[in-house]
Amino acid sequence: MISRTSSRITDRLREAGKRITAERRLLLDIITRNPHLDASAIHRLATDVNPKIGLATVYRTLNLLAELDLVDVSTLGEAHGHYEIRGDDHVHMICLRCGVIREASPLGDPRSLVDAEDFQVLQARLELIGYCPACQQDSKSSRQPHQPEGK
Ligand SMILES: [Zn+2]
Ligand SMILES: [Zn+2]
């Protein structure tokens, strides 16, 4: 699955006349394996592999991938962007307490809601903010925030 996604992406980069550098390959691999990270978290993971990779390179690459519609950027309730490989449409559910991000299937095409309004929709954003099941449990029993796995 991961290799099919990344070969689709490298094909798309080649079509656009972009070189597949080792840095771009590394960043794509990180984004594919770790959806919803922001640029500084992606940079941290990249420097574990290649300490020379700069934050500016990370931003340039993320902007390039977004321009080519290969990644989606969502704020996820914060002021900065979080990146994931463009895939199936989904809605993000963000826990206010532990910050875990879950994905849910979309609620149908939101564009259909505004058809009657003659509004030309370019992009639809919907984020569901609330509490994950573990935090709902925790808030009943204690005040310690739930630690999601992999954080
Ligand atoms: Zn939670
Ligand atoms: Zn997502």
Side-chain angles (χ1 to χ4, degrees), residues 94-145:
I94 302 134
C95 179
L96 282 173
R97 200 150 184 263
C98 70
V100 75
I101 294 154
R102 299 276 188 91
E103 295 184 341
S105 43
L107 312 170
D109 189 345
R111 280 168 290 213
S112 64
L113 300 173
V114 289
D115 271 356
E117 308 291 332
D118 278 341
F119 195 90
Q120 185 195 14
V121 177
L122 300 178
Q123 203 172 28
R125 293 172 187 276
L126 173 64
E127 290 179 347
L128 306 176
I129 316 279
Y131 295 102
C132 72
C135 286
Q136 293 172 53
Q137 277 304 319
D138 283 0
S139 65
K140 284 173 202 154
S141 49
S142 82
R143 299 200 161 265
Q144 275 301 96

mmCIF file of all heavy atoms in Angstrom, residues 94-145:
data_model
loop_
_atom_site.group_PDB
_atom_site.id
_atom_site.type_symbol
_atom_site.label_atom_id
_atom_site.label_comp_id
_atom_site.label_asym_id
_atom_site.label_seq_id
_atom_site.Cartn_x
_atom_site.Cartn_y
_atom_site.Cartn_z
ATOM 1 N N ILE A 94 -10.908 15.534 16.299
ATOM 2 C CA ILE A 94 -9.759 15.931 17.113
ATOM 3 C C ILE A 94 -10.181 15.986 18.571
ATOM 4 O O ILE A 94 -11.157 16.654 18.924
ATOM 5 C CB ILE A 94 -9.245 17.314 16.663
ATOM 6 C CG1 ILE A 94 -8.873 17.265 15.182
ATOM 7 C CG2 ILE A 94 -8.051 17.756 17.501
ATOM 8 C CD1 ILE A 94 -9.383 18.423 14.392
ATOM 9 N N CYS A 95 -9.427 15.272 19.428
ATOM 10 C CA CYS A 95 -9.752 15.266 20.857
ATOM 11 C C CYS A 95 -9.128 16.488 21.521
ATOM 12 O O CYS A 95 -7.926 16.727 21.417
ATOM 13 C CB CYS A 95 -9.265 13.986 21.525
ATOM 14 S SG CYS A 95 -9.621 13.972 23.297
ATOM 15 N N LEU A 96 -9.943 17.257 22.201
ATOM 16 C CA LEU A 96 -9.485 18.473 22.889
ATOM 17 C C LEU A 96 -8.595 18.156 24.074
ATOM 18 O O LEU A 96 -7.810 18.980 24.519
ATOM 19 C CB LEU A 96 -10.697 19.247 23.418
ATOM 20 C CG LEU A 96 -11.471 20.076 22.411
ATOM 21 C CD1 LEU A 96 -12.730 20.619 23.081
ATOM 22 C CD2 LEU A 96 -10.608 21.198 21.879
ATOM 23 N N ARG A 97 -8.730 16.957 24.604
ATOM 24 C CA ARG A 97 -8.034 16.643 25.850
ATOM 25 C C ARG A 97 -6.651 16.055 25.568
ATOM 26 O O ARG A 97 -5.654 16.541 26.079
ATOM 27 C CB ARG A 97 -8.887 15.671 26.663
ATOM 28 C CG ARG A 97 -8.546 15.625 28.130
ATOM 29 C CD ARG A 97 -9.789 15.276 28.924
ATOM 30 N NE ARG A 97 -9.522 15.309 30.342
ATOM 31 C CZ ARG A 97 -9.236 14.220 31.069
ATOM 32 N NH1 ARG A 97 -9.144 13.039 30.481
ATOM 33 N NH2 ARG A 97 -9.033 14.336 32.358
ATOM 34 N N CYS A 98 -6.559 15.010 24.723
ATOM 35 C CA CYS A 98 -5.270 14.341 24.489
ATOM 36 C C CYS A 98 -4.701 14.666 23.119
ATOM 37 O O CYS A 98 -3.560 14.329 22.836
ATOM 38 C CB CYS A 98 -5.418 12.840 24.644
ATOM 39 S SG CYS A 98 -6.376 12.074 23.322
ATOM 40 N N GLY A 99 -5.490 15.293 22.249
ATOM 41 C CA GLY A 99 -4.978 15.690 20.938
ATOM 42 C C GLY A 99 -4.955 14.575 19.915
ATOM 43 O O GLY A 99 -4.464 14.767 18.802
ATOM 44 N N VAL A 100 -5.486 13.411 20.236
ATOM 45 C CA VAL A 100 -5.490 12.314 19.270
ATOM 46 C C VAL A 100 -6.350 12.720 18.068
ATOM 47 O O VAL A 100 -7.301 13.497 18.206
ATOM 48 C CB VAL A 100 -6.006 11.000 19.916
ATOM 49 C CG1 VAL A 100 -7.511 11.018 20.114
ATOM 50 C CG2 VAL A 100 -5.625 9.797 19.076
ATOM 51 N N ILE A 101 -5.949 12.263 16.887
ATOM 52 C CA ILE A 101 -6.699 12.576 15.673
ATOM 53 C C ILE A 101 -7.227 11.280 15.092
ATOM 54 O O ILE A 101 -6.472 10.355 14.824
ATOM 55 C CB ILE A 101 -5.820 13.316 14.658
ATOM 56 C CG1 ILE A 101 -5.448 14.681 15.224
ATOM 57 C CG2 ILE A 101 -6.543 13.472 13.318
ATOM 58 C CD1 ILE A 101 -4.173 15.228 14.669
ATOM 59 N N ARG A 102 -8.538 11.210 14.931
ATOM 60 C CA ARG A 102 -9.166 10.045 14.320
ATOM 61 C C ARG A 102 -9.716 10.493 12.974
ATOM 62 O O ARG A 102 -9.977 11.666 12.773
ATOM 63 C CB ARG A 102 -10.337 9.546 15.185
ATOM 64 C CG ARG A 102 -9.933 9.119 16.581
ATOM 65 C CD ARG A 102 -9.426 7.683 16.570
ATOM 66 N NE ARG A 102 -9.208 7.215 17.924
ATOM 67 C CZ ARG A 102 -10.132 6.587 18.662
ATOM 68 N NH1 ARG A 102 -11.336 6.385 18.192
ATOM 69 N NH2 ARG A 102 -9.852 6.177 19.881
ATOM 70 N N GLU A 103 -9.889 9.512 12.091
ATOM 71 C CA GLU A 103 -10.477 9.819 10.795
ATOM 72 C C GLU A 103 -11.823 9.130 10.678
ATOM 73 O O GLU A 103 -11.988 7.996 11.111
ATOM 74 C CB GLU A 103 -9.554 9.353 9.671
ATOM 75 C CG GLU A 103 -8.239 10.128 9.678
ATOM 76 C CD GLU A 103 -7.325 9.755 8.522
ATOM 77 O OE1 GLU A 103 -7.515 8.679 7.931
ATOM 78 O OE2 GLU A 103 -6.427 10.563 8.230
ATOM 79 N N ALA A 104 -12.783 9.832 10.116
ATOM 80 C CA ALA A 104 -14.099 9.257 9.887
ATOM 81 C C ALA A 104 -14.433 9.429 8.412
ATOM 82 O O ALA A 104 -13.887 10.316 7.745
ATOM 83 C CB ALA A 104 -15.156 9.960 10.736
ATOM 84 N N SER A 105 -15.325 8.585 7.894
ATOM 85 C CA SER A 105 -15.680 8.740 6.487
ATOM 86 C C SER A 105 -16.485 10.020 6.320
ATOM 87 O O SER A 105 -17.139 10.491 7.245
ATOM 88 C CB SER A 105 -16.454 7.521 5.992
ATOM 89 O OG SER A 105 -17.390 7.133 6.952
ATOM 90 N N PRO A 106 -16.404 10.628 5.138
ATOM 91 C CA PRO A 106 -17.075 11.910 4.939
ATOM 92 C C PRO A 106 -18.584 11.768 5.040
ATOM 93 O O PRO A 106 -19.139 10.689 4.865
ATOM 94 C CB PRO A 106 -16.645 12.329 3.533
ATOM 95 C CG PRO A 106 -16.214 11.081 2.859
ATOM 96 C CD PRO A 106 -15.731 10.154 3.925
ATOM 97 N N LEU A 107 -19.241 12.870 5.311
ATOM 98 C CA LEU A 107 -20.688 12.866 5.507
ATOM 99 C C LEU A 107 -21.402 13.080 4.169
ATOM 100 O O LEU A 107 -22.397 13.758 4.101
ATOM 101 C CB LEU A 107 -21.083 14.015 6.457
ATOM 102 C CG LEU A 107 -20.268 14.142 7.734
ATOM 103 C CD1 LEU A 107 -20.592 15.433 8.448
ATOM 104 C CD2 LEU A 107 -20.531 12.940 8.622
ATOM 105 N N GLY A 108 -20.851 12.549 3.101
ATOM 106 C CA GLY A 108 -21.413 12.840 1.785
ATOM 107 C C GLY A 108 -20.743 14.089 1.243
ATOM 108 O O GLY A 108 -20.034 14.775 1.973
ATOM 109 N N ASP A 109 -20.914 14.371 -0.013
ATOM 110 C CA ASP A 109 -20.225 15.497 -0.630
ATOM 111 C C ASP A 109 -20.798 16.817 -0.123
ATOM 112 O O ASP A 109 -21.951 17.134 -0.406
ATOM 113 C CB ASP A 109 -20.379 15.411 -2.146
ATOM 114 C CG ASP A 109 -19.501 16.429 -2.854
ATOM 115 O OD1 ASP A 109 -19.009 17.363 -2.174
ATOM 116 O OD2 ASP A 109 -19.324 16.288 -4.072
ATOM 117 N N PRO A 110 -19.993 17.587 0.643
ATOM 118 C CA PRO A 110 -20.531 18.828 1.204
ATOM 119 C C PRO A 110 -20.922 19.822 0.121
ATOM 120 O O PRO A 110 -21.716 20.723 0.371
ATOM 121 C CB PRO A 110 -19.373 19.386 2.040
ATOM 122 C CG PRO A 110 -18.344 18.335 2.095
ATOM 123 C CD PRO A 110 -18.579 17.393 0.958
ATOM 124 N N ARG A 111 -20.358 19.652 -1.079
ATOM 125 C CA ARG A 111 -20.701 20.579 -2.155
ATOM 126 C C ARG A 111 -22.172 20.520 -2.505
ATOM 127 O O ARG A 111 -22.753 21.505 -2.932
ATOM 128 C CB ARG A 111 -19.854 20.287 -3.396
ATOM 129 C CG ARG A 111 -18.471 20.869 -3.274
ATOM 130 C CD ARG A 111 -17.573 20.324 -4.345
ATOM 131 N NE ARG A 111 -17.294 18.918 -4.067
ATOM 132 C CZ ARG A 111 -16.154 18.312 -4.362
ATOM 133 N NH1 ARG A 111 -15.209 18.988 -4.981
ATOM 134 N NH2 ARG A 111 -15.964 17.053 -4.074
ATOM 135 N N SER A 112 -22.780 19.340 -2.275
ATOM 136 C CA SER A 112 -24.201 19.224 -2.614
ATOM 137 C C SER A 112 -25.040 20.148 -1.735
ATOM 138 O O SER A 112 -26.130 20.556 -2.116
ATOM 139 C CB SER A 112 -24.668 17.780 -2.472
ATOM 140 O OG SER A 112 -24.565 17.389 -1.114
ATOM 141 N N LEU A 113 -24.515 20.480 -0.548
ATOM 142 C CA LEU A 113 -25.262 21.344 0.367
ATOM 143 C C LEU A 113 -25.441 22.743 -0.198
ATOM 144 O O LEU A 113 -26.384 23.445 0.143
ATOM 145 C CB LEU A 113 -24.520 21.478 1.714
ATOM 146 C CG LEU A 113 -24.280 20.204 2.504
ATOM 147 C CD1 LEU A 113 -23.407 20.489 3.713
ATOM 148 C CD2 LEU A 113 -25.611 19.619 2.932
ATOM 149 N N VAL A 114 -24.481 23.184 -1.017
ATOM 150 C CA VAL A 114 -24.525 24.574 -1.477
ATOM 151 C C VAL A 114 -24.889 24.678 -2.952
ATOM 152 O O VAL A 114 -24.888 25.761 -3.504
ATOM 153 C CB VAL A 114 -23.180 25.292 -1.205
ATOM 154 C CG1 VAL A 114 -22.996 25.535 0.271
ATOM 155 C CG2 VAL A 114 -22.018 24.534 -1.786
ATOM 156 N N ASP A 115 -25.213 23.567 -3.586
ATOM 157 C CA ASP A 115 -25.585 23.606 -5.001
ATOM 158 C C ASP A 115 -26.643 24.668 -5.253
ATOM 159 O O ASP A 115 -26.545 25.441 -6.194
ATOM 160 C CB ASP A 115 -26.134 22.246 -5.454
ATOM 161 C CG ASP A 115 -25.018 21.331 -5.947
ATOM 162 O OD1 ASP A 115 -23.858 21.809 -5.998
ATOM 163 O OD2 ASP A 115 -25.300 20.172 -6.273
ATOM 164 N N ALA A 116 -27.630 24.691 -4.395
ATOM 165 C CA ALA A 116 -28.755 25.598 -4.599
ATOM 166 C C ALA A 116 -28.351 27.050 -4.419
ATOM 167 O O ALA A 116 -29.047 27.956 -4.884
ATOM 168 C CB ALA A 116 -29.882 25.246 -3.641
ATOM 169 N N GLU A 117 -27.219 27.284 -3.770
ATOM 170 C CA GLU A 117 -26.797 28.662 -3.506
ATOM 171 C C GLU A 117 -25.922 29.214 -4.629
ATOM 172 O O GLU A 117 -25.435 30.334 -4.535
ATOM 173 C CB GLU A 117 -26.009 28.738 -2.191
ATOM 174 C CG GLU A 117 -26.715 28.120 -0.994
ATOM 175 C CD GLU A 117 -27.929 28.926 -0.559
ATOM 176 O OE1 GLU A 117 -27.925 30.157 -0.796
ATOM 177 O OE2 GLU A 117 -28.863 28.325 -0.014
ATOM 178 N N ASP A 118 -25.635 28.426 -5.659
ATOM 179 C CA ASP A 118 -24.764 28.859 -6.760
ATOM 180 C C ASP A 118 -23.388 29.290 -6.287
ATOM 181 O O ASP A 118 -22.755 30.139 -6.902
ATOM 182 C CB ASP A 118 -25.400 30.041 -7.524
ATOM 183 C CG ASP A 118 -26.429 29.543 -8.527
ATOM 184 O OD1 ASP A 118 -26.362 28.343 -8.870
ATOM 185 O OD2 ASP A 118 -27.270 30.343 -8.942
ATOM 186 N N PHE A 119 -22.936 28.712 -5.204
ATOM 187 C CA PHE A 119 -21.611 29.062 -4.693
ATOM 188 C C PHE A 119 -20.605 28.119 -5.342
ATOM 189 O O PHE A 119 -20.792 26.902 -5.354
ATOM 190 C CB PHE A 119 -21.599 28.902 -3.176
ATOM 191 C CG PHE A 119 -20.435 29.571 -2.515
ATOM 192 C CD1 PHE A 119 -20.528 30.895 -2.088
ATOM 193 C CD2 PHE A 119 -19.239 28.891 -2.333
ATOM 194 C CE1 PHE A 119 -19.449 31.517 -1.492
ATOM 195 C CE2 PHE A 119 -18.154 29.519 -1.740
ATOM 196 C CZ PHE A 119 -18.262 30.838 -1.320
ATOM 197 N N GLN A 120 -19.531 28.669 -5.910
ATOM 198 C CA GLN A 120 -18.504 27.813 -6.516
ATOM 199 C C GLN A 120 -17.544 27.359 -5.420
ATOM 200 O O GLN A 120 -16.747 28.149 -4.919
ATOM 201 C CB GLN A 120 -17.744 28.571 -7.595
ATOM 202 C CG GLN A 120 -16.759 27.667 -8.321
ATOM 203 C CD GLN A 120 -15.735 28.425 -9.131
ATOM 204 O OE1 GLN A 120 -15.562 29.626 -8.982
ATOM 205 N NE2 GLN A 120 -15.039 27.705 -9.988
ATOM 206 N N VAL A 121 -17.646 26.092 -5.049
ATOM 207 C CA VAL A 121 -16.832 25.569 -3.949
ATOM 208 C C VAL A 121 -15.527 24.995 -4.498
ATOM 209 O O VAL A 121 -15.530 24.177 -5.413
ATOM 210 C CB VAL A 121 -17.597 24.467 -3.179
ATOM 211 C CG1 VAL A 121 -16.731 23.870 -2.088
ATOM 212 C CG2 VAL A 121 -18.875 25.049 -2.596
ATOM 213 N N LEU A 122 -14.401 25.454 -3.956
ATOM 214 C CA LEU A 122 -13.098 24.935 -4.363
ATOM 215 C C LEU A 122 -12.625 23.864 -3.397
ATOM 216 O O LEU A 122 -11.938 22.929 -3.759
ATOM 217 C CB LEU A 122 -12.072 26.062 -4.414
ATOM 218 C CG LEU A 122 -12.410 27.177 -5.399
ATOM 219 C CD1 LEU A 122 -11.359 28.261 -5.336
ATOM 220 C CD2 LEU A 122 -12.540 26.633 -6.820
ATOM 221 N N GLN A 123 -12.970 24.011 -2.147
ATOM 222 C CA GLN A 123 -12.471 23.119 -1.125
ATOM 223 C C GLN A 123 -13.477 23.103 0.009
ATOM 224 O O GLN A 123 -14.107 24.118 0.277
ATOM 225 C CB GLN A 123 -11.154 23.665 -0.619
ATOM 226 C CG GLN A 123 -10.272 22.635 0.000
ATOM 227 C CD GLN A 123 -8.910 23.194 0.314
ATOM 228 O OE1 GLN A 123 -8.771 24.396 0.558
ATOM 229 N NE2 GLN A 123 -7.915 22.348 0.336
ATOM 230 N N ALA A 124 -13.638 21.960 0.658
ATOM 231 C CA ALA A 124 -14.537 21.882 1.807
ATOM 232 C C ALA A 124 -13.737 21.437 3.016
ATOM 233 O O ALA A 124 -12.942 20.503 2.931
ATOM 234 C CB ALA A 124 -15.664 20.899 1.524
ATOM 235 N N ARG A 125 -13.897 22.103 4.122
ATOM 236 C CA ARG A 125 -13.192 21.720 5.343
ATOM 237 C C ARG A 125 -14.211 21.489 6.440
ATOM 238 O O ARG A 125 -15.065 22.318 6.666
ATOM 239 C CB ARG A 125 -12.273 22.857 5.814
ATOM 240 C CG ARG A 125 -11.132 23.127 4.890
ATOM 241 C CD ARG A 125 -10.416 24.382 5.351
ATOM 242 N NE ARG A 125 -9.411 24.765 4.390
ATOM 243 C CZ ARG A 125 -8.192 24.255 4.364
ATOM 244 N NH1 ARG A 125 -7.832 23.366 5.257
ATOM 245 N NH2 ARG A 125 -7.334 24.637 3.455
ATOM 246 N N LEU A 126 -14.081 20.363 7.099
ATOM 247 C CA LEU A 126 -14.953 20.096 8.225
ATOM 248 C C LEU A 126 -14.128 19.374 9.268
ATOM 249 O O LEU A 126 -13.488 18.368 8.971
ATOM 250 C CB LEU A 126 -16.139 19.223 7.796
ATOM 251 C CG LEU A 126 -17.042 18.742 8.928
ATOM 252 C CD1 LEU A 126 -17.737 19.907 9.616
ATOM 253 C CD2 LEU A 126 -18.073 17.767 8.404
ATOM 254 N N GLU A 127 -14.078 19.901 10.457
ATOM 255 C CA GLU A 127 -13.351 19.242 11.539
ATOM 256 C C GLU A 127 -14.302 19.057 12.708
ATOM 257 O O GLU A 127 -15.061 19.958 13.038
ATOM 258 C CB GLU A 127 -12.158 20.114 11.970
ATOM 259 C CG GLU A 127 -11.076 20.153 10.905
ATOM 260 C CD GLU A 127 -9.893 21.025 11.278
ATOM 261 O OE1 GLU A 127 -10.008 21.800 12.246
ATOM 262 O OE2 GLU A 127 -8.871 20.928 10.597
ATOM 263 N N LEU A 128 -14.257 17.886 13.294
ATOM 264 C CA LEU A 128 -15.119 17.596 14.433
ATOM 265 C C LEU A 128 -14.249 17.636 15.684
ATOM 266 O O LEU A 128 -13.284 16.883 15.802
ATOM 267 C CB LEU A 128 -15.759 16.218 14.271
ATOM 268 C CG LEU A 128 -16.521 16.000 12.949
ATOM 269 C CD1 LEU A 128 -17.038 14.580 12.855
ATOM 270 C CD2 LEU A 128 -17.674 16.983 12.817
ATOM 271 N N ILE A 129 -14.554 18.536 16.576
ATOM 272 C CA ILE A 129 -13.752 18.743 17.778
ATOM 273 C C ILE A 129 -14.528 18.197 18.969
ATOM 274 O O ILE A 129 -15.718 18.488 19.095
ATOM 275 C CB ILE A 129 -13.508 20.260 18.003
ATOM 276 C CG1 ILE A 129 -13.130 20.969 16.705
ATOM 277 C CG2 ILE A 129 -12.503 20.497 19.122
ATOM 278 C CD1 ILE A 129 -11.723 20.848 16.276
ATOM 279 N N GLY A 130 -13.858 17.432 19.823
ATOM 280 C CA GLY A 130 -14.578 16.892 20.980
ATOM 281 C C GLY A 130 -13.678 16.041 21.842
ATOM 282 O O GLY A 130 -12.509 16.370 22.006
ATOM 283 N N TYR A 131 -14.213 14.951 22.367
ATOM 284 C CA TYR A 131 -13.446 14.078 23.250
ATOM 285 C C TYR A 131 -13.468 12.651 22.736
ATOM 286 O O TYR A 131 -14.522 12.137 22.380
ATOM 287 C CB TYR A 131 -14.029 14.138 24.676
ATOM 288 C CG TYR A 131 -13.867 15.512 25.292
ATOM 289 C CD1 TYR A 131 -14.932 16.403 25.351
ATOM 290 C CD2 TYR A 131 -12.620 15.927 25.758
ATOM 291 C CE1 TYR A 131 -14.772 17.673 25.876
ATOM 292 C CE2 TYR A 131 -12.449 17.199 26.277
ATOM 293 C CZ TYR A 131 -13.525 18.067 26.337
ATOM 294 O OH TYR A 131 -13.345 19.315 26.844
ATOM 295 N N CYS A 132 -12.271 12.022 22.725
ATOM 296 C CA CYS A 132 -12.178 10.633 22.271
ATOM 297 C C CYS A 132 -12.778 9.731 23.356
ATOM 298 O O CYS A 132 -12.962 10.157 24.493
ATOM 299 C CB CYS A 132 -10.724 10.271 21.986
ATOM 300 S SG CYS A 132 -9.705 10.096 23.465
ATOM 301 N N PRO A 133 -13.071 8.455 23.009
ATOM 302 C CA PRO A 133 -13.688 7.566 24.008
ATOM 303 C C PRO A 133 -12.845 7.425 25.276
ATOM 304 O O PRO A 133 -13.390 7.422 26.391
ATOM 305 C CB PRO A 133 -13.787 6.227 23.263
ATOM 306 C CG PRO A 133 -13.793 6.592 21.819
ATOM 307 C CD PRO A 133 -12.953 7.826 21.691
ATOM 308 N N ALA A 134 -11.500 7.313 25.136
ATOM 309 C CA ALA A 134 -10.651 7.132 26.321
ATOM 310 C C ALA A 134 -10.745 8.351 27.235
ATOM 311 O O ALA A 134 -10.788 8.214 28.459
ATOM 312 C CB ALA A 134 -9.205 6.892 25.890
ATOM 313 N N CYS A 135 -10.753 9.552 26.656
ATOM 314 C CA CYS A 135 -10.825 10.760 27.486
ATOM 315 C C CYS A 135 -12.197 10.925 28.118
ATOM 316 O O CYS A 135 -12.313 11.451 29.222
ATOM 317 C CB CYS A 135 -10.460 11.986 26.657
ATOM 318 S SG CYS A 135 -8.684 12.081 26.327
ATOM 319 N N GLN A 136 -13.231 10.463 27.427
ATOM 320 C CA GLN A 136 -14.551 10.511 28.056
ATOM 321 C C GLN A 136 -14.560 9.620 29.297
ATOM 322 O O GLN A 136 -15.108 9.990 30.325
ATOM 323 C CB GLN A 136 -15.627 10.036 27.082
ATOM 324 C CG GLN A 136 -15.837 10.941 25.898
ATOM 325 C CD GLN A 136 -16.771 10.290 24.891
ATOM 326 O OE1 GLN A 136 -17.871 9.861 25.250
ATOM 327 N NE2 GLN A 136 -16.325 10.200 23.659
ATOM 328 N N GLN A 137 -13.917 8.434 29.186
ATOM 329 C CA GLN A 137 -13.801 7.524 30.320
ATOM 330 C C GLN A 137 -12.996 8.170 31.444
ATOM 331 O O GLN A 137 -13.407 8.197 32.591
ATOM 332 C CB GLN A 137 -13.107 6.219 29.893
ATOM 333 C CG GLN A 137 -14.025 5.208 29.253
ATOM 334 C CD GLN A 137 -15.196 4.853 30.152
ATOM 335 O OE1 GLN A 137 -15.034 4.694 31.366
ATOM 336 N NE2 GLN A 137 -16.375 4.759 29.572
ATOM 337 N N ASP A 138 -11.801 8.727 31.045
ATOM 338 C CA ASP A 138 -10.896 9.335 32.021
ATOM 339 C C ASP A 138 -11.558 10.465 32.787
ATOM 340 O O ASP A 138 -11.356 10.612 33.984
ATOM 341 C CB ASP A 138 -9.654 9.908 31.316
ATOM 342 C CG ASP A 138 -8.679 8.803 30.943
ATOM 343 O OD1 ASP A 138 -8.990 7.640 31.233
ATOM 344 O OD2 ASP A 138 -7.630 9.123 30.371
ATOM 345 N N SER A 139 -12.340 11.276 32.078
ATOM 346 C CA SER A 139 -12.900 12.435 32.765
ATOM 347 C C SER A 139 -13.941 12.008 33.791
ATOM 348 O O SER A 139 -14.238 12.730 34.726
ATOM 349 C CB SER A 139 -13.487 13.429 31.766
ATOM 350 O OG SER A 139 -14.581 12.849 31.115
ATOM 351 N N LYS A 140 -14.438 10.772 33.635
ATOM 352 C CA LYS A 140 -15.354 10.251 34.646
ATOM 353 C C LYS A 140 -14.587 9.767 35.879
ATOM 354 O O LYS A 140 -15.045 9.912 36.987
ATOM 355 C CB LYS A 140 -16.196 9.103 34.074
ATOM 356 C CG LYS A 140 -17.306 9.584 33.167
ATOM 357 C CD LYS A 140 -17.998 8.413 32.486
ATOM 358 C CE LYS A 140 -18.695 8.856 31.215
ATOM 359 N NZ LYS A 140 -18.817 7.745 30.248
ATOM 360 N N SER A 141 -13.364 9.188 35.634
ATOM 361 C CA SER A 141 -12.652 8.559 36.750
ATOM 362 C C SER A 141 -11.542 9.426 37.335
ATOM 363 O O SER A 141 -11.330 9.443 38.531
ATOM 364 C CB SER A 141 -12.101 7.200 36.320
ATOM 365 O OG SER A 141 -11.411 7.319 35.095
ATOM 366 N N SER A 142 -10.774 10.167 36.500
ATOM 367 C CA SER A 142 -9.639 10.933 37.011
ATOM 368 C C SER A 142 -9.444 12.203 36.185
ATOM 369 O O SER A 142 -10.172 12.463 35.248
ATOM 370 C CB SER A 142 -8.369 10.084 36.954
ATOM 371 O OG SER A 142 -7.818 10.130 35.656
ATOM 372 N N ARG A 143 -8.394 12.983 36.514
ATOM 373 C CA ARG A 143 -8.131 14.193 35.766
ATOM 374 C C ARG A 143 -6.858 14.102 34.919
ATOM 375 O O ARG A 143 -6.406 15.079 34.371
ATOM 376 C CB ARG A 143 -8.032 15.392 36.715
ATOM 377 C CG ARG A 143 -9.320 15.605 37.478
ATOM 378 C CD ARG A 143 -9.435 17.010 38.046
ATOM 379 N NE ARG A 143 -10.816 17.309 38.354
ATOM 380 C CZ ARG A 143 -11.639 17.946 37.530
ATOM 381 N NH1 ARG A 143 -11.220 18.366 36.370
ATOM 382 N NH2 ARG A 143 -12.892 18.178 37.884
ATOM 383 N N GLN A 144 -6.256 12.869 34.855
ATOM 384 C CA GLN A 144 -5.045 12.687 34.049
ATOM 385 C C GLN A 144 -5.413 12.554 32.576
ATOM 386 O O GLN A 144 -6.220 11.688 32.235
ATOM 387 C CB GLN A 144 -4.327 11.402 34.481
ATOM 388 C CG GLN A 144 -3.406 11.587 35.672
ATOM 389 C CD GLN A 144 -2.330 12.617 35.393
ATOM 390 O OE1 GLN A 144 -2.461 13.791 35.753
ATOM 391 N NE2 GLN A 144 -1.267 12.189 34.741
ATOM 392 N N PRO A 145 -4.810 13.367 31.669
ATOM 393 C CA PRO A 145 -5.137 13.196 30.259
ATOM 394 C C PRO A 145 -4.687 11.831 29.755
ATOM 395 O O PRO A 145 -3.658 11.317 30.165
ATOM 396 C CB PRO A 145 -4.351 14.296 29.538
ATOM 397 C CG PRO A 145 -3.812 15.175 30.591
ATOM 398 C CD PRO A 145 -3.859 14.434 31.891
#
